[in-house]
Amino acid sequence: MVPNQGNRSFSAAAQSPCCANGIGTVSCIAEVDVQLSIEYKCAFGTRLAVIGSQQGWQTSAAVPMTWSPGDNWNAVITLPTGSDIEYKYIVIDESGSVIRWQEGSNLGLSLRNPGYIMHVTDSWAQDRRQVQEIGLPAAAAAHSSGSSSSSSSSS
């Protein structure tokens, strides 16, 4: 299956988002850590990887995911703030060859909050999804009481 590439493409923000750190200097954080999680049972000798617009849909650049008990697969990808990305999950064999593409539309994310961790839990059938932005930008966190903000959406 060929990905639905649409008209959206990966692009970095024109300027790095910055925030004052309260000491008279400015800290620029231009990245977001995206934690992707999905449950999927793979056949022996295969594994999940994530691929998308950030790699130009090149299967050779797919990010391998790590298995954990319960057939949960996880990956952390650091991406530029200001990006609109699309991605899919793929099943690969031991040599990295694609066995199966995730069916359905491309999944998408808009990365707008610098320094946050975005936790995304997807389903292979795309029938449920949870997206949470966790924490405060690093510069603000250094001067806060340790509280965090979190938002979630489900589609």
Side-chain angles (χ1 to χ4, degrees):
M1 175 175 214
V2 177
N4 171 12
Q5 293 186 14
N7 293 327
R8 294 167 66 181
S9 63
F10 176 78
S11 63
Q15 295 180 336
S16 298
C18 299
C19 30
N21 68 10
I23 308 175
T25 60
V26 174
S27 173
C28 295
I29 303 169
E31 297 176 330
V32 175
D33 284 337
V34 179
Q35 298 177 344
L36 297 169
S37 300
I38 188 168
E39 182 180 330
Y40 185 81
K41 184 169 181 71
C42 286
F44 181 77
T46 63
R47 67 184 309 168
L48 282 189
V50 64
I51 186 171
S53 56
Q54 69 276 15
Q55 301 117 332
W57 296 100
Q58 298 297 315
T59 57
S60 61
V63 176
M65 300 184 81
T66 303
W67 180 88
S68 62
D71 293 319
N72 292 302
W73 294 88
N74 304 286
V76 177
I77 303 170
T78 301
L79 297 167
T81 301
S83 304
D84 290 329
I85 64 159
E86 290 186 336
Y87 65 98
K88 281 186 178 257
Y89 297 96
I90 57 175
V91 179
I92 57 175
D93 65 16
E94 292 171 342
S95 70
S97 296
V98 177
I99 304 298
R100 180 178 183 194
W101 283 85
Q102 180 184 30
E103 294 87 8
S105 300
N106 296 342
L107 300 166
L109 289 173
S110 293
L111 308 174
R112 299 290 178 251
N113 294 321
Y116 280 65
I117 297 170
M118 182 174 280
H119 185 85
V120 181
T121 304
D122 290 313
S123 71
W124 185 267
Q126 297 186 8
D127 58 350
R128 64 189 182 283
R129 183 177 207 210
Q130 184 177 19
V131 177
Q132 291 182 305
E133 289 181 301
I134 303 168
L136 294 171
H143 292 86
S144 74
S145 61
S147 63
S148 68
S149 68
S150 174
S151 66
S152 77
S153 65
S154 182
S155 54

